[in-house]
Amino acid sequence: QVQLVESGGGLVQAGDSLRLSCAASGRTFSRYSMGWFRQAPGKEREFVAGIGWINGNTVYADSVKGRFTISKDSAKNTVYLQMNSLKPEDTALYYCAATSSIVVVTTTRYDYWGQGTPVTVSS
């Protein structure tokens, strides 16, 4: 199976930046996409950003477009989420996910999930 481990979360102030990392290991896929999701307390898990591993195509939620950037390092089997101009509403547990689909999936129907890394943005 695929193991995903997120890191980089923390407590920051509004306007600050933070970079999350997700390292993948285990079973490999000939093609797949990876994404970032977030879930605030009492809220539904929502799609944040996704990237196609092969084609490099990226997709962003409207709420983070222009502020967040998803990228990958194929040699390290790692995907990143650069978060700039953070807002209190960005506070959530951020999850990394992977799917065998080459097309970025914006729903929660991913095959593998990490344990999450918390991001707290104070006002």
Side-chain angles (χ1 to χ4, degrees), residues 66-107:
R67 297 189 298 120
F68 291 10
T69 302
I70 187 171
S71 62
K72 64 181 178 66
D73 186 331
S74 298
K76 297 181 179 180
N77 288 311
T78 300
V79 64
Y80 305 95
L81 183 66
Q82 178 66 45
M83 305 184 292
N84 297 326
S85 302
L86 284 164
K87 306 174 181 179
E89 50 262 46
D90 293 319
T91 296
L93 187 65
Y94 283 71
Y95 296 91
C96 177
T99 178
S100 60
S101 176
I102 192 172
V103 178
V104 174
V105 179
T106 59
T107 70

Side-chain angles (χ1 to χ4, degrees), residues 12-72:
V12 298
Q13 295 186 29
D16 285 352
S17 297
L18 204 59
R19 189 180 75 161
L20 306 183
S21 298
C22 174
S25 62
R27 182 183 293 276
T28 60
F29 297 95
S30 58
R31 70 186 196 285
Y32 61 90
S33 296
M34 297 184 70
W36 286 97
F37 291 76
R38 66 187 182 186
Q39 187 167 24
K43 303 293 184 179
E44 182 180 356
R45 188 174 301 184
E46 64 175 342
F47 172 81
V48 176
I51 186 169
W53 200 255
I54 302 300
N55 56 34
N57 291 342
T58 58
V59 180
Y60 297 93
D62 290 338
S63 60
V64 305
K65 191 173 298 182
R67 297 189 298 120
F68 291 10
T69 302
I70 187 171
S71 62
K72 64 181 178 66

Side-chain angles (χ1 to χ4, degrees), residues 4-15:
L4 303 175
V5 180
E6 306 98 332
S7 63
L11 174 62
V12 298
Q13 295 186 29

